[in-house]
Amino acid sequence: MSSEKIIPHSEAATKFNKDVERVNWHDETLWFVRAKRDKSAHQIADWELLRETASKIKNNVLSNIHDYLVEFEANAQRNGIIVHWAADAKEHNEIVHSIMAKHDVKQMVKSKSMLTEECHLNDYLAEKGIEVIDSDLGEYIVQLRKEPPSHIVLPAIHLKKEDVSETFHEHLGTEKGNFNPQYLTESARHSLRNTFLTRKVALTGVNFAVAETGEFVVCTNEGNADMGAHLADVHIACMGFEKLVPKREHLGVFLRLLARSATGQPITTFSSHFKKPRDGQEMHIVIVDNGRSKQLGREDFRNSLKCIRCGACMNTCPVYRRSGGHSYHNAVAGPIGSILAPNLDMSKNADLPFASTLCGSCTNVCPVKIDIHDQLYKWRQVLVKDGYTPTAKTVAMKTMAKVLANPTIFNIAGKSGRFVMKNIPGMVNNKMNKWYDQREMPDVPEESFREWYKKNSRESKSKDNE
Amino acid sequence: MSSKAEILNRIKLNQPDLVADLPDLSLLGSEQFDVLETYKTVLKGIGGDPVEVADYNEIINYIKSNYNLEKRLITTLPELSEIASLDWKTVDPHSLQNVELTVIKAHFGVAENSALWVTDDILGQRVAPFIAQYLAIVVQKKDILPTMQQAYNRIGNMEYGFGTFIAGPSKTADIEQSLVLGAHGARGLIVFLLD
């Protein structure tokens, strides 16, 4: 929540890193998913062409999004869907609540929607006395534990089966010490089936919305979005406006890329196209801005709006894999989240673009070819320039800039540095030195490169003259 | 100003001037492979069971020997009236909660991901394929298409209120990445591939 104090990424990651075994396990688990993605991608001869095509479609969307939204709204309304517009998270939450209030309903079943996480909808509705149950198994687990999801596709990827067993024992009365995933899933199936059968309102996210037809697509493996929506009297679908594609035929491109990039599956089990409410049902779409139009105006960062939320950049990221999703203190974690978050709030999220090695792996796996690592690098420059980085870092960088700009100072600094490291290593190898935190300091060379070069170039010159 | 006008104004102001053309989709979907074999292999890979049958009699026999006919079996296919009921299309969808097996047909299947395309008109009720403990879908072998590219060409401007691609049984891997079939929807999917 906005009132809570944010722990910076590096600090949160340090905590996560204390349990070495768990970090290694987290790292390997995500790498396993990344490897499945590779295997799946390599089976498609057209893979690179698909990525290029998807990226081009999204370029077209970004440059025509105004018209596509108008077209989408008109078609959705013609289909009998009620369309709402929300400028920010607050308005989104108010609209959802007003629909609940209109029907005098106090309970909701929800399928996965990172947008509602971004808007903190559950907390808002709880304050209004409305009970929300998240029906995706991973989301259900973290909800019972009162934690946010740590990954956009695999919400409970940070938990081991022992953790889930303990949580279910406490909340669902499952057998203590039974860690069997089959048994635990079955218990959740029973509990959630009752939820699906009794809820009058179901909320889902939106993976894609089609301007040409006014329909929207929701992808799940569990079938939870469908169980909720097809049994409820009211279906509310919430979408960021960037989810639009121009035509129905474009769905083919994105559905081929989405699940393969996410988990290595050839497609999600269910890819449901909602065009009209079923007889007697009410269907709503809430189109949300919440900073997206601002990001659209930032030329360097607008490509981030192409994101289809597959999570491939997280699974491949050496920093995410070793720091865990919660360390990103944002609904969307990992590399793409670190680009989206500063747009929402620079002061709260200034740490995130620095949580990267800039290795470029995220960019290489992105199915819509977002230049993720370039954007992270560009955000760093914006954030430093606008004064959002920690004072210690700014001072250090400014000092460094002065030293590097002046050969005499550089020379003296180098000499004294080597002297100190050699003769009084304790002055450098201590907790005050952030660089020393994760590293062994190197052995000091007898001379600097410059000294070596001066000597050698003189020797080689004299040799040449011989 | 309403939020709609405000959002649309901001978008208009901020969207790039350069209007990028839409790419040519006809370049896609030209991969060559054995369509039926690929379909079966991919379906098995995601936990479904392909069963090749010559006619509806074979389907009836298969269901008789693999499912408990004492339980509630429903279908939209008149050919299967001997083993499953047809009179459930207008009942309250909640009343389908005790269905053991739903049998429906698909418009077509897609080899590259084993997905089957179904819409309102052949579903009977939207919730039918999700709420049953088990699901069986009948598709003609000649209606298996290579990739999603051909699939959307086939769908074209088809009119529907709801349509979905179903690929395998409901599943989850949310507990330590262990694959479990039967999360909320069907625990198993039989695809009857009809000659």
Side-chain angles (χ1 to χ4, degrees), chain B residues 107-154:
Chain B
H107 293 291
F108 61 82
V110 186
E112 68 161 320
N113 54 26
S114 83
L116 295 154
W117 175 246
V118 294
T119 51
D120 276 330
D121 54 327
I122 56 171
L123 280 174
Q125 294 231 19
R126 288 184 187 182
V127 82
F130 302 97
I131 201 166
Q133 295 297 320
Y134 294 91
L135 177 64
I137 303 182
V138 182
V139 69
Q140 299 223 305
K141 282 182 189 168
K142 68 172 173 56
D143 290 325
I144 308 287
L145 311 171
T147 77
M148 292 300 276
Q149 192 55 38
Q150 287 84 10
Y152 277 96
N153 285 344
R154 172 91 165 247

Side-chain angles (χ1 to χ4, degrees), chain B residues 12-161:
Chain B
K12 196 160 207 174
L13 213 66
N14 287 343
Q15 73 185 18
D17 293 331
L18 174 82
V19 178
D21 286 337
L22 281 168
D24 181 3
L25 299 189
S26 68
L27 300 171
L28 291 160
S30 61
E31 295 106 323
Q32 295 294 318
F33 48 83
D34 184 322
V35 170
L36 186 63
E37 279 312 307
T38 304
Y39 184 89
K40 290 193 289 185
T41 309
V42 175
L43 181 63
K44 282 185 216 156
I46 60 176
D49 297 309
V51 178
E52 293 187 64
V53 287
D55 54 31
Y56 280 97
N57 268 335
E58 279 193 30
I59 296 177
I60 290 172
N61 290 335
Y62 185 93
I63 290 174
K64 272 184 182 168
S65 50
N66 286 281
Y67 295 91
N68 182 353
L69 298 187
E70 305 278 297
K71 294 191 173 173
R72 190 175 180 193
L73 273 55
I74 62 171
T75 186
T76 51
L77 301 163
E79 295 90 340
L80 303 177
S81 60
E82 184 192 331
I83 48 152
S85 68
L86 288 155
D87 59 345
W88 51 275
K89 287 171 206 158
T90 52
V91 302
D92 174 0
H94 295 82
S95 69
L96 301 178
Q97 59 165 302
N98 60 353
V99 169
E100 177 73 1
L101 175 71
T102 298
V103 190
I104 52 171
K105 68 170 182 178
H107 293 291
F108 61 82
V110 186
E112 68 161 320
N113 54 26
S114 83
L116 295 154
W117 175 246
V118 294
T119 51
D120 276 330
D121 54 327
I122 56 171
L123 280 174
Q125 294 231 19
R126 288 184 187 182
V127 82
F130 302 97
I131 201 166
Q133 295 297 320
Y134 294 91
L135 177 64
I137 303 182
V138 182
V139 69
Q140 299 223 305
K141 282 182 189 168
K142 68 172 173 56
D143 290 325
I144 308 287
L145 311 171
T147 77
M148 292 300 276
Q149 192 55 38
Q150 287 84 10
Y152 277 96
N153 285 344
R154 172 91 165 247
I155 293 172
N157 296 320
M158 183 193 267
E159 190 48 53
Y160 52 76

